[in-house]
């Protein structure tokens, strides 16, 4: 991790942008990021920053403390992390992190590398590419292995992504390193409901298949608005509450393509998205796509799947009674004013 990235970060506990980087094991790129204000500290392990509230990362942080106790004591971190009482929110966050670590290890080929998802990523992100420039700052929240942020990358732009899965962040950083763009790309462990990023810094904010995994989608949208620059572009991709959803669910039970772990609100209608966006500073416009099951598109090559996806989207959108019943809802918009959002504290 390079010190320059601290300019974009804030403490997830107190919300202040006053962080210091200490690397005490250069060989392993291990150390901590410490907040000057609240004195909280966060793990940097093998070059990966884990910038999430202590209550969600207490076990990993305790293990790190015991392994590096001497170095931490020399930095004035004398006491071990505080143990936090388990509640439903903490339990859910930890379960999500464990699930996605396993998911990206085992399911990646079935998911991101399938013809359907390659076609869907390409088709969905094409309009967004036109809105970016080489000077853009891209934030990819819930980035997984960095597919969106890396797909939008242009020489010179800054791309920042975060996810609760440490394994996916490791893979995302490896992809950036292999492409030779590590100097302009930064991936770290973070939470979309408590994004530790400074306000008014993103030209583009992406939430690709994130909203249905979080406890509070409205908080995620409010935080996106806080972090975006005025007139910045917003993009989200999620599950649509289609009247035809039962057919997809039935087919997935009979022929599962991937494993899913969603929150209670795992489907969103256009009207619900508009309601969630109220008073956030985001003006959004939604549409739906993908009117046939992914199984159908997986019969083709990725290029053929994109052609078929584009064609079926066009045809079904011509039918008024069906145009809002695609399986995926695409949400695009912008931030219209300088709303700073709500900085949430741990207590």
């Amino acid at each position: 991790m390079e010190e320059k990235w601290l300019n974009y970060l804030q403490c997830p506990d107190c919300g202040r942008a006053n962080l210091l980087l200490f690397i005490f094991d250069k060989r392993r790129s291990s150390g901590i990021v410490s907040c000057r204000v609240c004195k909280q500290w966060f793990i940097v392990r093998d070059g990966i920053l884990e910038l999430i509230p202590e209550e969600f990362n207490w076990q990993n942080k305790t293990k790190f403390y015991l392994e590096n106790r001497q170095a931490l004591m020399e930095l004035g971190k004398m006491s071990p992390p505080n143990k936090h009482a388990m509640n439903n929110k903490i339990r859910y966050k930890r379960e999500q992190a464990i699930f996605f670590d396993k998911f990206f290890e085992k399911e990646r080929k079935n998911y991101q590398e399938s013809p359907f998802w390659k076609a869907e990523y390409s088709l969905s992100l094409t309009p967004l590419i036109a809105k970016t420039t080489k000077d853009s700052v891209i934030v990819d929240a819930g980035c997984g292995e960095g597919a969106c942020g890396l797909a939008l990358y242009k020489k010179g732009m800054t791309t920042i992504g975060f996810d609760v899965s440490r394994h996916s962040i490791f893979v995302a950083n490896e992809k950036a390193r292999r492409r030779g763009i590590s100097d302009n790309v930064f991936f770290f462990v973070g939470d979309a409901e408590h994004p530790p990023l400074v306000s008014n810094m993103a030209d583009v904010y992406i939430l690709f298949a994130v909203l249905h995994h979080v406890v509070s989608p409205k908080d995620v949208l409010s935080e996106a608005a806080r972090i975006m620059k005025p007139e910045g572009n917003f993009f989200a991709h999620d599950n649509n509450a289609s009247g035809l959803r039962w057919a997809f669910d039935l087919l997935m039970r009979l022929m599962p393509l991937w494993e899913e772990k969603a929150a209670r609100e795992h489907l969103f209608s256009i009207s619900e998205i508009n309601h969630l966006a109220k008073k956030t500073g985001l003006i959004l416009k939604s549409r739906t796509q993908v009117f046939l099951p992914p199984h159908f598109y997986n019969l083709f090559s990725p290029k053929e799947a994109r052609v078929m996806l584009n064609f079926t989207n066009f045809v079904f959108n011509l039918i008024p009674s069906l145009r809002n019943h695609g399986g995926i809802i695409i949400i695009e918009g912008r931030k219209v004013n300088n709303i700073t959002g709500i900085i949430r504290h741990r207590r």
Side-chain angles (χ1 to χ4, degrees):
M1 178 186 172
E2 295 185 51
E3 193 170 11
K4 66 179 182 180
W5 297 113
L6 297 181
N7 295 324
Y8 298 94
L9 304 176
Q10 67 180 32
C11 175
D13 281 56
C14 72
R16 301 292 293 274
N18 205 336
L19 303 176
L20 293 171
L21 172 65
F22 300 96
I23 298 295
F24 46 70
D25 187 343
K26 293 183 178 180
R27 183 178 60 85
R28 296 179 57 193
S29 298
S30 294
I32 62 170
V33 163
S34 179
C35 177
R36 287 176 171 172
V37 180
C38 70
K39 310 304 180 183
Q40 189 59 270
W41 58 272
F42 307 91
I43 298 171
V44 179
R45 183 173 45 175
D46 300 322
I48 297 176
L49 171 62
E50 300 178 18
L51 198 58
I52 51 180
E54 183 176 273
E55 58 191 358
F56 302 136
N57 202 35
W58 174 77
Q59 290 175 318
N60 287 337
K61 194 171 175 181
T62 299
K63 181 180 178 181
F64 183 87
Y65 175 85
L66 294 174
E67 292 173 346
N68 300 277
R69 186 173 181 177
Q70 184 61 41
L72 288 167
M73 290 181 68
E74 290 175 2
L75 294 174
K77 311 300 179 184
M78 309 293 290
S79 303
N82 295 318
K83 186 173 183 178
H84 295 268
M86 184 68 69
N87 57 40
N88 289 337
K89 187 173 183 179
I90 294 174
R91 184 179 293 106
Y92 177 75
K93 296 277 187 185
R94 291 181 180 177
E95 288 176 354
Q96 284 278 339
I98 293 169
F99 170 80
F100 280 108
D101 278 342
K102 293 180 179 178
F103 178 88
F104 282 108
E105 284 186 273
K106 297 180 179 179
E107 300 279 350
R108 186 173 72 205
K109 289 186 178 179
N110 295 334
Y111 189 74
Q112 289 185 342
E113 297 183 18
S114 68
F116 166 71
W117 278 113
K118 284 186 176 181
E120 174 62 9
Y121 268 91
S122 177
L123 193 63
S124 297
L125 294 176
T126 294
L128 195 57
I129 292 174
K131 298 178 181 179
T132 63
T133 70
K134 66 178 183 179
D135 299 318
S136 295
V137 176
I138 309 293
V139 171
D140 189 359
C143 64
E145 296 183 352
C148 293
L150 295 176
L152 294 176
Y153 181 81
K154 298 174 183 176
K155 186 177 181 180
M157 72 167 44
T158 298
T159 300
I160 300 172
F162 58 90
D163 196 279
V164 294
S165 166
R166 192 180 191 281
H167 177 79
S168 69
I169 293 302
F170 174 81
V171 175
N173 279 318
E174 283 297 297
K175 288 181 178 180
R177 184 186 61 80
R178 288 196 298 269
R179 288 180 57 179
I181 58 175
S182 296
D183 287 346
N184 298 89
V185 175
F186 178 53
F187 293 108
F188 66 95
V189 179
D191 178 15
E193 289 178 85
H194 302 81
L197 297 172
V198 299
S199 301
N200 302 314
M201 52 80 76
D203 296 287
V204 177
Y205 199 96
I206 304 168
L207 291 165
F208 202 102
V210 172
L211 290 175
H212 69 280
H213 287 295
V214 300
V215 176
S216 175
K218 187 172 183 64
D219 285 348
V220 173
L221 295 179
S222 296
E223 285 294 273
R226 176 184 67 79
I227 293 165
M228 291 167 62
K229 295 177 182 177
E231 301 302 320
N233 292 295
F234 175 86
F235 174 87
H237 175 291
D238 227 287
N239 296 331
N240 182 38
S242 166
L244 304 176
R245 188 80 189 183
W246 63 269
F248 167 76
D249 291 339
L250 176 61
L251 194 55
M252 282 293 282
R253 282 196 293 270
L254 297 174
M255 302 173 59
L257 295 178
W258 59 80
E259 187 180 353
E260 178 68 281
K261 184 176 180 63
R264 289 186 298 274
E265 289 188 75
H266 66 287
L267 299 173
F268 299 92
S269 65
I270 291 175
S271 61
E272 184 178 9
I273 290 296
N274 291 337
H275 177 73
L276 289 171
K278 284 183 178 180
K279 298 182 181 180
T280 63
L282 296 175
I283 297 296
L284 304 178
K285 184 176 182 181
S286 303
R287 56 186 167 85
T288 73
Q289 61 187 38
V290 187
F291 294 87
L292 297 176
H295 306 70
F296 169 75
Y297 301 103
N298 281 341
L299 297 174
F300 305 94
S301 69
K303 282 187 178 181
E304 292 169 337
R306 173 167 175 161
V307 172
M308 293 302 300
L309 188 56
N310 204 16
F311 175 73
T312 53
N313 285 341
F314 173 76
V315 170
F316 280 95
N317 272 293
L318 293 177
I319 305 172
S321 61
L322 292 178
R323 67 165 58 111
N324 289 333
H325 288 282
I328 299 295
I329 184 169
I330 301 296
I331 309 156
E332 297 177 278
R334 59 193 177 90
K335 178 179 175 178
V336 295
N337 54 43
N338 201 20
I339 285 181
T340 58
I342 300 172
I343 296 178
R344 287 178 302 280
H345 295 269
R346 197 161 54 87
R347 294 184 176 87

